[in-house]
Amino acid sequence: MKKIIYIILLSLSFTSCEDVIEVDLETTEPRLVIDAALNWFKGTTGNVQFIKLSLSAPFFNSEIPPATGATVVVTDSFNNTFNFIENNETGIYTNDSFIPVINRTYNLTITYNNETYIATEQLMPVSSIDYVIQNNDGGFSGDEVEIEAYYTDPEGIDNYYLFEFINTAHGVKNLEVYDDEFTDGNEIFAFYSDENIEAGDELIIRGLGISERFYEFMNILLQQTDDDSGDPFETQPAQVRGNCINITNPENYALGYFRASEVSLFTYIIE
């Protein structure tokens, strides 16, 4: 009987030490969030593309509201027009007749809530991922799997790259950006490491050609969202804005970016 009483008292003592902390975060009017990435995968026609529009939401919201009812149009420098049609009020707008051309300029126009947003980007080429090397003894403690995805940078041209490493087993995406300032014309690799990856896991690797402006945008964004950057509630040193401009009401700026890229795809099974 004494043991039972002791356990109950111990349980109550632990319970009494728990405090509920309510974080009172400031809220602002929702902004349009533009996820407009036109990706032309090597070996495909690239005619099917989609653009996702949503609204910013408070930090603790579990759902992201879609931005429905917008008019979304992409035009190119040869006066071709591509209308993106919304799919059942999801905020996802699709087009199945897009014409991707390397180095061609594309213009995005979005009309939402009687305001017009515009952006311009060039479809950037990318080198193919040639092969992958795996090292099972990586990291400071030697227990991380390291992946090196090799590609050859074109000589004499300024190139910028975005690499996506997607572990399909865990649904985790890792992003890295690179430039060729010190590797112009050389064989080089994009790097990925993970202590939790296991043999048999499928790793999807995507190499994307990006513009210098998008490289700078992503470089700042990745620095601010790095796992080692500290408190997730701390004030960021700079607000990261993309290339989408509200020409109707500049103060009501959008978040996100309009990008156009050729994409090299490589699927690798962890050994």
Side-chain angles (χ1 to χ4, degrees), residues 27-49:
T27 59
T28 60
E29 288 297 318
R31 293 189 183 276
L32 181 64
V33 180
I34 300 173
D35 182 4
L38 305 180
N39 293 321
W40 181 16
F41 288 85
K42 288 178 178 288
T44 71
T45 61
N47 61 299
V48 178
Q49 300 289 339

Side-chain angles (χ1 to χ4, degrees), residues 246-257:
N246 185 337
I247 60 174
T248 306
N249 180 14
E251 292 185 359
N252 187 28
Y253 57 86
L255 304 175
Y257 208 97

Side-chain angles (χ1 to χ4, degrees), residues 151-155 159 161 178-189:
Y151 61 98
T152 302
D153 179 78
E155 186 176 3
N159 292 284
Y161 303 91
Y178 300 90
D179 65 3
D180 66 348
E181 181 179 1
F182 303 108
T183 59
D184 181 57
N186 294 313
E187 183 181 59
I188 192 63
F189 62 85

